[in-house]
Amino acid sequence: GGLGVGAGGDVKGLSIGGLGVGSGGDLKGINIGGLGAGSGATVKGINIGGLGVGAGNDLKGINIGGLGVGVGSNVSGITIGGLGVGAGEKLSGISIGGLGVGAGEKLKGLVVSLIAAGSPEVKAIAVAPVVGSLNMQGLIIAPAYMKVGYTEKNRKNDGETSEDREGSLKGVSISTFNQVKGNQKGVTIGVVNYTHTIKGVQLGIINIVKENPKGLRVLPIFNTRFGNKKSDQE
C-alpha cells in the first residue's frame, strides 16, 4: 500500500505500508510501516515501524520502533525502541530502549537502556544508569543509581505524611549508589551501599546496614549483618 495497509478485522501475511500498517483485530506476520505498525488486539511476528509499533493487547516477536514500542498488556521477544519500550503489564525477552524501558507489572530477561529501567518487579539482567523496582532479582548494572522500595506520600486534611514501601533485592547489584529500602539478599558493590536488613554482603567506600547494632551500622570497605536482631531489640 502506497500510504497504508489495514483491516477492521485481522491482518495476516506480509504487509508493507508507506505510512503504516494496522488492524482492528490481530496483526500477524511480517509487518512494516513507514511511520508505524499496530493493532487494537495482538501483534505477532516481525514488526517494524518508522516511528513506533504498538498493540492494544499483546506484542510477540521481533519488534522495532524508530521512536518506541508500547502495548497495553504484555511484550515478549526481541524489542527495540529508539526512545523507549513499555508494557502495561509484563515485558520479557530482550528489551532495548534508548531512553527507558518499563512495565506496569514485571520486567524479565535482558534489559538495556541509556537512561533508566524500572518496574514493580524486575527479574532480569538489567543494564542502565538508573534501575528501580519494588522487588528486584538478578544482575543489576546501574552506573548511577539502583533503588529498591520507595516512599509513598499521602496528603490529608492536616498535612502530608510519608510511608516507606519496603522491597527486596536478590542477586548482585553494581552501582555508584545502591539503595535498598527493605531486605538485601546478595551482594551490592558501589561507592555507597544502603539497606534496612541484610542477608549478604556490601562492598564499597561507605556501607550502611540500618538493622545492625550501633557502631556497626556504617562501615568502610565491608558490611554485613552483625549481632542477633532479637537480642539487639531487647
Side-chain angles (χ1 to χ4, degrees):
L3 293 180
V5 176
D10 298 339
V11 175
K12 299 179 181 180
L14 169 61
S15 307
I16 302 173
L19 292 182
V21 176
S23 71
D26 294 338
L27 183 60
K28 300 179 180 179
I30 299 174
N31 308 292
I32 301 172
L35 293 181
S39 86
T42 298
V43 177
K44 296 181 181 180
I46 298 174
N47 309 290
I48 301 172
L51 293 182
V53 175
N57 290 333
D58 296 339
L59 181 61
K60 302 177 181 180
I62 298 174
N63 311 293
I64 301 172
L67 292 182
V69 177
V71 304
S73 295
N74 305 307
V75 178
S76 60
I78 299 173
T79 307
I80 301 171
L83 292 181
V85 175
E89 295 178 7
K90 299 176 183 179
L91 180 58
S92 60
I94 299 174
S95 306
I96 302 172
L99 295 182
V101 177
E105 293 182 3
K106 179 187 288 188
L107 283 179
K108 187 177 180 181
L110 172 62
V111 178
V112 179
S113 173
L114 295 178
I115 302 296
S119 176
E121 185 175 353
V122 173
K123 190 176 182 180
I125 297 173
V127 182
V130 177
V131 180
S133 177
L134 183 61
N135 295 299
M136 193 177 297
Q137 183 176 346
L139 172 61
I140 312 301
I141 301 175
Y145 183 33
M146 186 285 295
K147 183 178 181 180
V148 169
Y150 63 93
T151 301
E152 187 175 48
K153 294 184 179 181
N154 302 307
R155 293 185 178 181
K156 297 182 179 180
N157 294 332
D158 56 350
E160 186 177 82
T161 61
S162 60
E163 179 182 358
D164 282 346
R165 289 289 305 276
E166 293 197 347
S168 65
L169 170 68
K170 296 180 181 179
V172 178
S173 178
I174 303 170
S175 180
T176 300
F177 181 22
N178 292 295
Q179 184 181 29
V180 181
K181 292 185 175 182
N183 184 34
Q184 174 187 325
K185 295 181 180 179
V187 179
T188 54
I189 301 171
V191 177
V192 178
N193 300 301
Y194 172 91
T195 186
H196 288 178
T197 62
I198 189 170
K199 290 183 180 179
V201 176
Q202 295 175 327
L203 300 173
I205 296 176
I206 300 173
N207 303 286
I208 304 167
V209 179
K210 192 175 178 181
E211 72 168 342
N212 276 348
K214 290 182 179 180
L216 296 173
R217 290 175 185 167
V218 182
L219 294 176
I221 309 302
F222 165 89
N223 208 345
T224 187
R225 186 172 186 269
F226 292 102
N228 184 287
K229 190 173 180 181
K230 184 176 179 180
S231 63
D232 291 341
Q233 291 174 343
E234 292 174 351

